[in-house]
Amino acid sequence: MLILPLVVLFSIWCAHAKKDGPRITRTEFDSVPSALFYFDDSDVILVQEKDKGIVWRSENAGETWQVIEDIDRGQAWEVWQHPNDNQIAYTLGLRSKHWVTHDQGKTWSVFETDEAAPSLFRPPLAFHAGDPNKVLMHAQVCKGFTCKEMTYYTTDGFVSIQPLQEDTRGCIFAHSTPGFETSKDDVDDSRIICVARGRYSPWPKDNRLIVSDDYFETQTEPSLDGDRQVHGIISMAVVRSYLVAAAKAENTDELALYVTDDAQTWHRAEFPATHKLQEEAYTILESTNYSIQVDVMTTKPSSAMGVLFSSNSNGTYFSPLIEHTNRNYQGTVDFEKVQNIQGIVIVNVVDNWEQVEKTNMGNKKIKSKISFDDGRSWTGLSVEKKDELHLHSVTDMSNSGRIFSSAAPGLVMGVGNTGKYLKDYSEGDLYVSDDAGLTWRFALEQAHKYEFGDQGAVLLAISDEGPTDKLSYSINHGKDWETVDLDDKVRARILTTTPDSTSLQFVLQATVGGGSGLRHYIYSIDFEGLHEGKCKEKDFENWYARVDEKGDATCIMGHKQYYRRRKADADCFVDEEFKDPEPQYENCVCDDNDFECDYNFVRSEDGKACIPQGTLPAPEGKCKSIDETFTGSSGYRLIPGNTCNRKGGPDLDKDVSRPCKDTFKAPVSGQISHSSKDFPAQSFKEYYYLERTDSSTGDDETVIMRTDQNEIWYSEDHGKNWEQILRNEEITSIYPHQYFNDVVYFLTGSKKVLYSINRCKSFGSFEAPEEPNLDRLQAISFHPTKKDWLMWTGAVNCGTMSSGKCHSTASISMDRGDNWRTMLRYVRKCEFIKEEGRGGSEQLVYCEQFKDEKIDGSLQLLSSDNWFEESKTHFDSIIDFATMSEFIIVAAKDSDDKSLKVDASVDGKTFADALFPKNFNVPVQKAYTVLDSSTHAVFLHVTVGSKEDFEYGTIVKSNSNGTFYVRSIDGVNRNTPGYVDFEKTLGLEGVAIVNIVENLKEAEKGEAKKLKSLITHNDGAEWMPLAAPEKDAEGQTYKCDAKNGHGCTLHLHGYTERKDPRDTFSSPTAVGLMMGVGNVGEYMTRKVEGDTFITSDGGMTWRAAKNGNYMWEFGDKGSVIVIAQEHAATDHIFYSLDEGLTWQEYKFADSPMNVYDLTTVPSDQSQNFLLWGKVSDNSKEITTVNIDFTGLRGRQCDNPDAHETDDYYMWAPKHPLQDNNCLFGHIAQYHRKRPGADCFNGNTLSHELHMMVQNCTCTRQDFECDYNYEPQNDNSCKLVPGSDPPDHSQICTEDPTVKSYFKPTGYRRLALTTCAGGRELEYTSEEIPCPGHKDEFEEEHRNKGLTGFWFFILVILFPVTVAASIGYLVWICWDGKFGRIQLGTEDGGRGGGAFDADKPWIQYPVMAISAIGAAIIAIPYLLASLWRSGRGYLPIGGGSGGGGGGGSGGAGRRYTTRQSFARGRSDYAFVDPDEDELLGDDDDEEV
């Protein structure tokens, strides 16, 4: 309880006369006061007691305080000041009730946000700089365990509030700062820009920018990079006169920064190639109206240093100002502009930067630097122009607000020391400068908090090194200091005053005592009356803000700047409260510094000239010939806002005559080119691409390769030129980072590990805690989001294998190998468990450990979220586990210790048993292969036949939490290492191809397997043969009848026969295209006898590409396809530019070469390809051949999102059994290049889904059989005899917000489908209220639709009665009868009778009669529950059947979001207790 009305007020006069010291009063608070702020240009202050949820107000600069009674006590969560209106503030509640004041807190009114609470993820309020009544509010609506972000808006200061947009990641007004001017098309100044989730994806990589001028009644997605829209937007901000958006692609931490100065035209910010923007490694600093300042980190966070950059006036080109700036791990930079003075900047730099970079230690030697010309030159700080001075800055912030300066003209203070380097804060003293940092003087011993008042006429300080009972102040710019006593020893927390530093009153927040006796106070310190008079004109002087070494004023942005400032020794106060000092200007004659490079020009390498960046645009009507000239830009322009006097200065921006050749782009050669390289080795051991992403800079296509001589070769131009790297190192293995494409590690077989974080431009190293393990385990494991977090699995006591103590130990490093700590001993495998959408702790790790640390003990599964300081044992005896994109799957030993069981987890914390169908009986389950989990369900291959070389099994598919499994398909082929002939189509939803063993019984007896290929278009719910083409590649008809289909289908060789599992049928960017090697016939033949086939419609139809066995690669997102003959020496490849309709030959060598592999970048977006091979088996050299298609086509296709173009068409996948293009309940469309368009894709087009045209009504293809149900011949689902239906009531427990569920119908909705209405097969049974929701359920259903009685009469009884009557008439009159075989009639079978079967009045009654059975089944339910609505009781073919109820029974939540399958790695894992763990590359995850 506060001791107010005890607002304890007292005066301390300290034995002085009234005019000799300040008047001090204090108020005690029960708990810590926080969020203290002044309303600008007033003495009104608000402060919050957060612990008590109340807000206090003072009208007299903190002398007295009153609780604001308009705000509900205990409900104040956060207080916000309006940045652009000094009358307005907001108090936000924890839930939906909030308060606003428009009179500096005198009165408050309530506004509410429905069920939404203020956002915890971003600042809850965003403001309009021109209209204080326009405000955006970020909120979140949470139900159960899920939260959805919402943005609201008001245009009347929260008198009313409206929803703006759902699923936003932050919104701002374009006009968020006074300096930002929107373009002319923003007529009402209401432009709002939001970061929103992707159209069909919740993942950050798909976030986009959306813009609206009418509060999102309409919206657009702006082009950020030329005419290209950009996805992966992670943040945005308004910085002075610039709007900045940052984008990050998947598999990189490099960012692309996009800038606009009018919210209309955007440009990508260009930094020097040596400095890349990385996530959490750059800081946008306080900037000017004519440039942006950005500090880019260049080292590890543990020893953070950076480079300070400044942009040109439109924020697009950045140049370095100073290197080795001091930062901390949080991204704070020692940087401050002196307030209200252009061009003066103080920074701290690391002097021993080389040592810090090498050792990665934090023992920095820091120096302070100052610039008076916007960073073009720097000098040290000095005391009395003698001793070098260094000051603590933002990374050591000890007070609120700015560190050094205030609105007081030229007055600067800081804590620091003289000498060579900056010492600890506790060793610092207080220094002051009254010439904006040019010269400094000693002020007070010890570190102090300090503040400026009365435009610098009063300087106030209090010790910051412990409790003190004294205040110090100066009234002559810090030359002399006086002290005043306090009544208690206090520990200063915050010392502040009005934002404009014009007041004579200060506020000190402090504590007295300690421990349980700690007391909290706010002091008011008033210097009013300390002087007798107010300053007159004679007491002021012109003070120039910037002067050179001679004391002459210098120019910035074309002018000199000065203030009328009180003289230091004047015996008066300015005493003009709330009147900000006004700068005065004198224009200067222009010089070179007043100009910058014009649009389409950049600085030359030496910085002395502006040169064209690429091709210049030609003026209209000019440059019809390359030999002409035109008058155009000189390359320079006067910096916008610069006020220099043009007379007498250089005319750098005067137009000049330019040759028209500058406007012509050099034509491409029209030819394909190739280049080869020989290497002294017998074989390639491994090779990887370090591919750039959409947000990466540069144009390299980097490849690294290791030969059998352990030599490492590197190429940054896709194999045209190679360089041997790491020459003196014995590299035994290459580990590309699984989640960050720029990063790669090189193992040496010892503790030494080398690495590169910039695609092999430079290298670092560290010493691992142990040598690599001997268990064929992955030595390094990578964290999905923390680039520098590594797990190392090393060998301990393995010098002599016979010791019996050899084991593997797991260690963790959070700083890229600089420091290690042991996590767990006697492990087999450890993995980070932090996948997209899973949430939880970033430190969650799963490990397999031998029980009791005995190598012959059972294998336990443990987890920890604190590096195993504490751990949890999930299973005592397992075989292995796999981490998939959405699940963790564990293969554990059953209770009999002879067979396996499967457990699954979605959140990485809790597991549930996997339940297989009752009719799925495998006596001893010996092996699982985890295939995929990218479509909200686990595909699991359970080995049924395990005889070596004759393995096969059943694929089962889970529900959305991985626990209930249904049979998808039996007899699926598997090989001995565990690979399964199952492959998802990249880029398309729910399409997969399998090979099944047709002769299972014979194969178990030792006969050769007879394989057939099947395809699914609805995620495994239905399978069908691949449609065979009628003719081969040479136009010859196949021997079997492809039209018949039976015994004449297409079969493709799959995973079990691949040399490299990365060689997939499909491409992540060539959507709908697939290639494979196989044959047409009844069964699959040998691969060497196969031909090559292609589809361009997602597997619906296939055609023969080439007779013979070829390897293939897609390039330029499918616009070029290259194939090379396999198992034969060749000197040529074939290529297609029209989706495989035609093929051209290209010769790449004079003599044949054995081609081992054909590759391109993993995304298939390059126009370069690489052949890997050997001229002959006896050769002592191996060879690569680069084949380059970039010279073939010179025009980039027009972007269909920005222009009308004939270069692209819209392609929609479909299901072969449906007449429309509905697939998974919606029609999806993708842009695809027209086969005949003479252009290349490049980065024009995203391969992601373009749009969902519409949702469809549900059909049978949107459902699969539920748990314990199996499909019948008529495609219906029937309960397995002897089995129980699944318990759908579990959903009530799993999600407390669900109010009801449906009894099992035998069907469950596919996780991917978005269908609504139609045949909603899971809603055709009785709906049951969840426990605790019965009253809500009954009330909700009582108010909906027809009552049960009228539903029965109108919907059931009436149609049945009518149908029965008409049906009887038909029965007695129709000569066809039901079931009768009709012979030819006298009219030749033409019919024409009144009761012919094709007449509508015959068709529809027959349909009605056939529906009677279904209606009769529903009648008993209706009779028992006439009070209910009829929803959910229509027969299976009879209409929408409703929806709702919170779910589809036990089928789990319905997924309406979509994501691409174009992942950087396939979700493929294998578990087999009789086998060693399957070791794969980065594309594989094994169990």
Side-chain angles (χ1 to χ4, degrees):
M1 168 109 194
L2 187 71
I3 306 174
L4 255 167
L6 143 343
V7 169
V8 178
L9 301 174
F10 66 92
S11 301
I12 303 178
W13 297 99
C14 303
H16 292 280
K18 179 181 178 182
K19 66 177 182 179
D20 292 331
R23 184 167 60 93
I24 302 175
T25 59
R26 75 175 183 182
T27 304
E28 184 176 357
F29 292 81
D30 286 345
S31 59
V32 181
S34 62
L36 183 149
F37 69 85
Y38 282 85
F39 286 95
D40 197 19
D41 293 339
S42 79
D43 286 327
V44 179
I45 308 175
L46 295 185
V47 73
Q48 180 185 8
E49 272 193 277
K50 192 106 177 176
D51 290 349
K52 300 180 68 176
I54 58 177
V55 180
W56 294 81
R57 180 176 184 267
S58 172
E59 291 186 342
N60 49 16
E63 287 191 26
T64 59
W65 294 87
Q66 295 81 36
V67 174
I68 297 175
E69 299 294 348
D70 289 346
I71 299 171
D72 295 352
R73 284 181 177 258
Q75 298 302 307
W77 174 62
E78 200 166 20
V79 182
W80 278 75
Q81 179 184 15
H82 198 296
N84 304 309
D85 191 305
N86 66 353
Q87 299 294 310
I88 303 176
Y90 311 88
T91 297
L92 303 181
L94 267 172
R95 295 180 177 80
S96 59
K97 187 176 182 181
H98 319 287
W99 296 265
V100 59
T101 178
H102 291 87
D103 54 10
Q104 296 187 339
K106 289 181 182 177
T107 60
W108 296 75
S109 56
V110 173
F111 66 95
E112 298 195 25
T113 50
D114 301 326
E115 298 177 346
S119 174
L120 299 177
F121 305 109
R122 58 202 83 260
L125 299 175
F127 305 95
H128 192 286
D131 185 346
N133 288 319
K134 292 179 178 178
V135 184
L136 305 177
M137 182 171 181
H138 298 120
Q140 57 192 31
V141 180
C142 296
K143 292 184 178 180
F145 302 105
T146 60
C147 292
K148 179 175 65 176
E149 292 196 68
M150 283 283 299
T151 301
Y152 294 85
Y153 76 95
T154 179
T155 58
D156 53 19
F158 287 109
V159 174
S160 63
I161 182 170
Q162 303 293 329
L164 179 75
Q165 189 80 351
E166 290 185 1
D167 286 322
T168 59
R169 306 296 186 263
C171 296
I172 57 174
F173 286 102
H175 192 184
S176 288
T177 64
F180 191 91
E181 297 182 6
T182 58
S183 53
K184 293 180 180 178
D185 63 330
D186 183 15
V187 291
D188 294 324
D189 201 26
S190 296
R191 179 160 299 163
I192 296 173
I193 304 171
C194 294
V195 178
R197 56 166 281 177
R199 284 194 183 118
Y200 313 112
S201 164
W203 310 123
K205 69 182 181 65
D206 297 310
N207 286 355
R208 58 204 175 100
L209 217 58
I210 53 176
V211 178
S212 178
D213 293 332
D214 54 14
Y215 300 98
F216 286 94
E217 290 186 16
T218 61
Q219 68 182 47
T220 58
E221 188 174 344
S223 297
L224 303 185
D225 192 0
D227 62 0
R228 189 172 68 92
Q229 296 166 347
V230 174
H231 291 174
I233 306 296
I234 59 173
S235 62
M236 63 176 174
V238 176
V239 184
R240 291 280 189 145
S241 56
Y242 305 93
L243 176 57
V244 180
K248 187 180 82 70
E250 203 172 21
N251 298 120
T252 186
D253 60 353
E254 184 176 355
L255 302 182
L257 212 60
Y258 297 93
V259 183
T260 180
D261 55 9
D262 62 1
Q264 181 72 23
T265 304
W266 294 78
H267 302 276
R268 178 166 180 169
E270 300 289 343
F271 286 79
T274 53
H275 294 90
K276 299 176 181 179
L277 287 185
Q278 293 180 311
E279 189 177 20
E280 299 180 358
Y282 78 100
T283 306
I284 298 180
L285 303 167
E286 179 187 8
S287 301
T288 69
N289 289 330
Y290 50 86
S291 67
I292 305 174
Q293 275 66 55
V294 176
D295 190 84
V296 179
M297 189 169 70
T298 57
T299 61
K300 294 183 181 180
S302 57
S303 56
M305 295 183 290
V307 175
L308 177 62
F309 289 89
S310 182
S311 76
N312 61 348
S313 66
N314 64 5
T316 54
Y317 295 104
F318 284 77
S319 302
L321 297 181
I322 189 169
E323 294 185 319
H324 317 307
T325 51
N326 186 50
R327 306 167 54 96
N328 63 18
Y329 71 96
Q330 296 173 317
T332 305
V333 183
D334 281 345
F335 169 97
E336 183 176 314
K337 288 182 175 292
V338 174
Q339 188 174 351
N340 292 339
I341 300 176
Q342 287 180 309
I344 302 182
V345 185
I346 300 175
V347 301
N348 282 344
V349 298
V350 180
D351 192 55
N352 62 330
W353 58 271
E354 289 177 300
Q355 178 188 357
V356 172
E357 282 184 347
K358 290 177 181 177
T359 60
N360 292 304
M361 299 298 289
N363 54 339
K364 303 173 182 176
K365 295 181 178 179
I366 294 172
K367 288 177 173 283
S368 296
K369 300 287 184 181
I370 189 168
S371 174
F372 295 91
D373 54 9
D374 262 340
R376 289 193 291 270
S377 62
W378 297 87
T379 185
L381 279 62
S382 63
V383 176
E384 306 295 344
K385 295 187 178 181
K386 294 183 295 185
D387 298 324
E388 195 173 357
L389 176 65
H390 313 289
L391 300 175
H392 291 271
S393 185
V394 187
T395 58
D396 275 337
M397 181 179 288
S398 62
N399 201 13
S400 62
R402 288 177 170 269
I403 301 298
F404 305 122
S405 60
S406 72
L411 271 295
V412 186
M413 286 195 284
V415 173
N417 58 269
T418 57
K420 284 188 175 183
Y421 306 111
L422 184 65
K423 300 177 182 178
D424 289 341
Y425 184 79
S426 61
E427 298 181 60
D429 299 318
L430 182 64
Y431 292 84
V432 64
S433 170
D434 62 355
D435 52 13
L438 182 64
T439 61
W440 295 77
R441 67 173 66 96
F442 175 84
L444 294 168
E445 286 187 359
Q446 296 189 345
H448 283 68
K449 296 185 189 298
Y450 45 87
E451 193 51 274
F452 308 81
D454 195 41
Q455 298 187 26
V458 179
L459 307 181
L460 182 64
I462 185 170
S463 176
D464 197 25
E465 293 194 10
T468 180
D469 57 1
K470 296 188 181 299
L471 286 169
S472 300
Y473 68 92
S474 172
I475 55 176
N476 60 359
H477 293 185
K479 296 177 183 178
D480 303 296
W481 292 82
E482 303 288 337
T483 60
V484 60
D485 293 332
L486 298 173
D487 63 322
D488 278 314
K489 283 186 176 291
V490 304
R491 185 65 174 95
R493 303 301 177 188
I494 293 175
L495 178 62
T496 188
T497 185
T498 57
D500 55 16
S501 294
T502 61
S503 176
L504 286 165
Q505 291 178 287
F506 299 81
V507 169
L508 171 66
Q509 184 178 326
T511 57
V512 175
S516 60
L518 187 68
R519 291 169 289 161
H520 305 276
Y521 291 97
I522 290 181
Y523 289 80
S524 172
I525 304 161
D526 187 359
F527 283 86
E528 185 73 36
L530 192 65
H531 277 291
E532 293 297 334
K534 181 178 178 180
C535 294
K536 299 183 170 58
E537 181 63 25
K538 66 179 178 61
D539 296 312
F540 290 88
E541 62 183 351
N542 286 348
W543 175 78
Y544 282 87
R546 296 175 305 274
V547 295
D548 58 20
E549 294 178 354
K550 299 178 182 179
D552 297 329
T554 58
C555 300
I556 286 286
M557 285 295 286
H559 53 252
K560 302 172 184 176
Q561 182 182 11
Y562 68 90
Y563 285 89
R564 291 287 292 167
R565 190 176 77 171
R566 169 189 173 274
K567 296 176 182 177
D569 297 318
D571 189 21
C572 61
F573 283 143
V574 177
D575 201 16
E576 292 184 351
E577 200 171 29
F578 315 132
K579 182 178 179 182
D580 296 353
E582 293 292 335
Q584 306 294 317
Y585 301 101
E586 292 178 8
N587 288 340
C588 310
V589 175
C590 295
D591 63 18
D592 291 356
N593 292 321
D594 296 311
F595 296 86
E596 67 177 4
C597 291
D598 202 354
Y599 289 106
N600 301 311
F601 291 83
V602 294
R603 286 282 178 186
S604 58
E605 288 189 11
D606 60 8
K608 295 180 179 179
C610 290
I611 59 176
Q613 184 193 37
T615 305
L616 295 177
E620 188 175 352
K622 301 291 184 181
C623 290
K624 297 179 180 178
S625 167
I626 197 171
D627 298 324
E628 296 179 11
T629 61
F630 70 97
T631 301
S633 172
S634 66
Y636 291 90
R637 68 171 182 170
L638 189 70
I639 299 173
N642 192 292
T643 62
C644 70
N645 188 346
R646 304 298 299 265
K647 187 175 181 179
D651 289 332
L652 295 184
D653 56 346
K654 185 177 180 180
D655 286 350
V656 298
S657 177
R658 290 190 171 275
C660 282
K661 65 180 180 62
D662 289 351
T663 69
F664 285 83
K665 185 176 181 180
V668 296
S669 65
Q671 302 292 322
I672 304 170
S673 62
H674 69 272
S675 56
S676 62
K677 168 69 176 176
D678 297 327
F679 303 89
Q682 290 297 308
S683 64
F684 302 102
K685 297 303 290 184
E686 53 185 334
Y687 39 86
Y688 303 97
Y689 286 89
L690 305 181
E691 185 178 9
R692 290 179 299 108
T693 67
D694 288 344
S695 61
S696 301
T697 54
D699 56 4
D700 62 287
E701 294 183 359
T702 299
V703 193
I704 54 173
M705 174 263 292
R706 180 172 68 93
T707 71
D708 62 355
Q709 302 299 307
N710 283 343
E711 292 178 345
I712 307 298
W713 293 82
Y714 153 82
S715 172
E716 63 178 22
D717 54 11
H718 210 132
K720 293 174 184 169
N721 298 282
W722 290 89
E723 174 189 353
Q724 187 179 351
I725 57 176
L726 305 177
R727 285 178 177 268
N728 298 320
E729 305 290 347
E730 180 70 14
I731 304 300
T732 59
S733 185
I734 302 176
Y735 274 67
H737 199 296
Q738 194 171 353
Y739 304 100
F740 292 89
N741 291 0
D742 296 340
V743 184
V744 60
Y745 290 82
F746 301 89
L747 274 60
T748 63
S750 66
K751 292 184 180 181
K752 184 177 182 180
V753 178
L754 298 104
Y755 63 85
S756 173
I757 60 171
N758 53 13
R759 302 196 295 276
C760 293
K761 301 294 190 301
S762 62
F763 297 90
S765 66
F766 62 79
E767 185 173 287
E770 310 291 345
E771 292 186 357
N773 66 83
L774 304 180
D775 297 326
R776 296 172 58 197
L777 304 174
Q778 185 167 313
I780 307 178
S781 297
F782 304 104
H783 194 281
T785 60
K786 302 293 185 181
K787 183 174 68 176
D788 293 336
W789 288 18
L790 305 174
M791 272 194 297
W792 179 268
T793 306
V796 178
N797 296 329
C798 295
T800 56
M801 293 298 294
S802 60
S803 68
K805 296 182 179 180
C806 176
H807 65 276
S808 297
T809 294
S811 303
I812 182 73
S813 172
M814 300 176 69
D815 52 13
R816 205 186 310 145
D818 289 345
N819 297 281
W820 293 92
R821 58 181 289 185
T822 300
M823 285 198 311
L824 215 56
R825 296 174 177 84
Y826 286 86
V827 302
R828 193 177 73 170
K829 181 176 71 173
C830 290
E831 289 189 17
F832 292 106
I833 309 296
K834 179 73 172 68
E835 296 287 338
E836 56 186 6
R838 185 170 290 146
S841 170
E842 291 180 327
Q843 297 184 17
L844 183 60
V845 172
Y846 268 67
C847 281
E848 300 170 348
Q849 185 188 38
F850 292 102
K851 191 172 183 178
D852 299 326
E853 295 191 354
K854 294 180 180 179
I855 202 67
D856 57 352
S858 61
L859 200 61
Q860 297 177 307
L861 183 63
L862 289 75
S863 72
S864 173
D865 58 9
N866 58 6
W867 312 139
F868 287 93
E869 290 183 9
E870 301 169 302
S871 65
K872 177 181 179 181
T873 301
H874 295 275
F875 298 92
D876 283 322
S877 182
I878 71 166
I879 300 302
D880 214 333
F881 75 97
T883 55
M884 313 299 289
S885 63
E886 297 172 340
F887 302 90
I888 301 170
I889 308 297
V890 177
K893 290 186 178 181
D894 215 336
S895 56
D896 59 8
D897 213 29
K898 295 180 180 180
S899 62
L900 301 182
K901 70 184 187 77
V902 174
D903 289 79
S905 174
V906 176
D907 61 6
K909 298 176 182 177
T910 56
F911 284 84
D913 291 339
L915 300 179
F916 293 146
K918 289 292 176 65
N919 65 333
F920 180 56
N921 296 314
V922 181
V924 179
Q925 295 173 23
K926 291 186 176 181
Y928 304 123
T929 304
V930 186
L931 302 172
D932 179 84
S933 73
S934 59
T935 55
H936 314 306
V938 176
F939 280 86
L940 188 68
H941 181 277
V942 182
T943 297
V944 176
S946 57
K947 184 178 179 181
E948 187 170 352
D949 293 329
F950 296 93
E951 297 90 351
Y952 69 90
T954 295
I955 292 179
V956 292
K957 181 187 175 187
S958 77
N959 60 349
S960 60
N961 64 9
T963 55
F964 289 100
Y965 287 78
V966 297
R967 295 169 79 155
S968 178
I969 186 168
D970 293 320
V972 180
N973 187 44
R974 199 207 91 177
N975 64 10
T976 301
Y979 283 109
V980 176
D981 279 343
F982 169 95
E983 183 174 331
K984 284 290 189 78
T985 300
L986 300 174
L988 278 183
E989 298 170 312
V991 180
I993 295 175
V994 299
N995 289 333
I996 63 168
V997 181
E998 184 74 5
N999 60 332
L1000 292 178
K1001 292 182 179 179
E1002 293 79 3
E1004 288 180 345
K1005 296 177 182 178
E1007 288 189 16
K1009 295 177 182 177
K1010 292 182 179 180
L1011 302 181
K1012 283 189 172 184
S1013 294
L1014 301 177
I1015 189 169
T1016 178
H1017 293 269
N1018 58 358
D1019 213 33
E1022 298 168 302
W1023 296 88
M1024 61 195 67
L1026 274 68
E1030 294 183 23
K1031 298 180 180 181
D1032 66 14
E1034 296 178 356
Q1036 300 298 313
T1037 303
Y1038 287 107
K1039 294 179 181 179
C1040 61
D1041 185 3
K1043 289 184 178 179
N1044 180 26
H1046 180 70
C1048 191
T1049 59
L1050 176 63
H1051 312 287
L1052 299 177
H1053 296 272
Y1055 258 111
T1056 58
E1057 298 181 76
R1058 284 191 186 141
K1059 293 183 298 184
D1060 188 338
R1062 293 175 291 188
D1063 298 333
T1064 55
F1065 292 139
S1066 56
S1067 163
T1069 55
V1071 179
L1073 294 177
M1074 287 190 280
M1075 292 193 74
V1077 171
N1079 63 280
V1080 172
E1082 186 174 4
Y1083 301 110
M1084 185 180 296
T1085 59
R1086 294 192 307 157
K1087 188 175 182 182
V1088 293
E1089 301 170 356
D1091 297 325
T1092 305
F1093 297 87
I1094 188 170
T1095 176
S1096 56
D1097 56 11
M1100 294 273 291
T1101 61
W1102 294 80
R1103 57 183 179 271
K1106 279 288 176 183
N1107 287 353
N1109 192 336
Y1110 286 80
M1111 58 187 80
W1112 63 90
E1113 274 292 358
F1114 302 94
D1116 192 41
K1117 302 177 182 176
S1119 82
V1120 56
I1121 307 172
V1122 172
I1123 61 176
Q1125 197 163 6
E1126 192 171 7
H1127 305 305
T1130 184
D1131 60 359
H1132 62 275
I1133 53 98
F1134 291 96
Y1135 68 92
S1136 175
L1137 304 178
D1138 54 10
E1139 297 182 352
L1141 294 174
T1142 61
W1143 296 90
Q1144 317 298 323
E1145 181 181 321
Y1146 177 76
K1147 189 173 181 180
F1148 62 81
D1150 295 329
S1151 57
M1153 181 177 88
N1154 292 315
V1155 178
Y1156 300 145
D1157 204 357
L1158 165 65
T1159 65
T1160 187
V1161 296
S1163 68
D1164 295 341
Q1165 300 188 73
S1166 173
Q1167 294 190 77
N1168 282 266
F1169 299 82
L1170 206 52
L1171 300 174
W1172 307 78
K1174 198 172 187 180
V1175 174
S1176 70
D1177 291 337
N1178 297 324
S1179 174
K1180 295 182 179 180
E1181 293 182 322
I1182 50 179
T1183 302
T1184 62
V1185 180
N1186 167 275
I1187 301 178
D1188 185 357
F1189 284 81
T1190 56
L1192 195 59
R1193 298 168 293 184
R1195 182 176 71 87
Q1196 187 168 5
C1197 302
D1198 292 331
N1199 188 344
D1201 290 327
H1203 313 284
E1204 290 189 11
T1205 176
D1206 293 329
D1207 293 335
Y1208 293 93
Y1209 69 100
M1210 299 299 297
W1211 176 76
K1214 63 181 296 185
H1215 193 286
L1217 299 182
Q1218 294 187 188
D1219 295 331
N1220 54 24
N1221 286 341
C1222 287
L1223 189 63
F1224 298 109
H1226 50 258
I1227 297 177
Q1229 290 186 340
Y1230 299 79
H1231 279 304
R1232 283 221 312 223
K1233 178 182 166 294
R1234 291 189 184 278
D1238 186 21
C1239 59
F1240 65 92
N1241 284 312
N1243 65 355
T1244 298
L1245 194 64
S1246 170
H1247 63 272
E1248 303 290 344
L1249 174 69
H1250 173 68
M1251 67 170 61
M1252 246 201 266
V1253 178
Q1254 67 182 56
N1255 269 356
C1256 306
T1257 55
C1258 298
T1259 67
R1260 173 64 179 86
Q1261 280 69 45
D1262 294 300
F1263 296 86
E1264 61 191 353
C1265 291
D1266 204 349
Y1267 174 66
N1268 276 345
Y1269 288 79
E1270 61 182 358
Q1272 306 299 299
N1273 291 334
D1274 62 356
N1275 213 18
S1276 63
C1277 296
K1278 185 178 180 181
L1279 187 66
V1280 173
S1283 301
D1284 297 322
D1287 181 7
H1288 284 188
S1289 66
Q1290 288 183 0
I1291 194 173
C1292 301
T1293 304
E1294 295 170 0
D1295 186 352
T1297 65
V1298 173
K1299 299 176 183 177
S1300 64
Y1301 63 93
F1302 285 84
K1303 286 187 174 181
T1305 65
Y1307 301 88
R1308 71 181 187 191
R1309 180 182 292 262
L1310 293 173
L1312 285 175
T1313 190
T1314 61
C1315 73
R1319 301 181 67 189
E1320 295 191 298
L1321 301 182
E1322 80 275 48
Y1323 296 142
T1324 57
S1325 61
E1326 184 182 3
E1327 189 175 4
I1328 308 296
C1330 286
H1333 291 283
K1334 183 177 180 180
D1335 292 342
E1336 299 172 66
F1337 175 82
E1338 292 179 357
E1339 178 65 24
E1340 182 179 323
H1341 286 65
R1342 189 179 296 116
N1343 296 327
K1344 287 192 212 176
L1346 298 170
T1347 65
F1349 174 78
W1350 286 109
F1351 178 84
F1352 175 74
I1353 295 297
L1354 296 178
V1355 179
I1356 301 296
L1357 202 55
F1358 179 73
V1360 169
T1361 303
V1362 173
S1365 301
I1366 298 177
Y1368 179 74
L1369 176 64
V1370 172
W1371 176 259
I1372 61 174
C1373 298
W1374 184 31
D1375 58 1
K1377 306 296 181 183
F1378 288 117
R1380 174 176 169 179
I1381 299 175
Q1382 184 176 8
L1383 302 177
T1385 59
E1386 293 181 0
D1387 60 5
R1390 292 191 301 272
F1395 291 95
D1396 284 351
D1398 60 350
K1399 300 300 183 184
W1401 51 86
I1402 294 300
Q1403 287 182 347
Y1404 296 119
V1406 169
M1407 294 177 190
I1409 292 171
S1410 65
I1412 289 177
I1416 291 173
I1417 292 173
I1419 287 174
Y1421 291 109
L1422 285 167
L1423 295 175
S1425 321
L1426 282 177
W1427 57 270
R1428 294 182 45 150
S1429 72
R1431 187 171 153 205
Y1433 292 103
L1434 293 177
I1436 285 179
S1440 68
S1448 56
R1453 63 186 183 278
R1454 180 194 302 185
Y1455 285 89
T1456 56
T1457 59
R1458 303 146 51 86
Q1459 61 177 317
S1460 168
F1461 300 141
R1463 299 174 181 270
R1465 54 192 172 87
S1466 62
D1467 287 322
Y1468 202 101
F1470 173 65
V1471 180
D1472 190 340
D1474 302 323
E1475 295 283 341
D1476 291 330
E1477 181 178 356
L1478 176 66
L1479 294 177
D1481 54 32
D1482 287 332
D1483 290 346
D1484 301 308
E1485 291 189 19
E1486 304 87 14
V1487 176

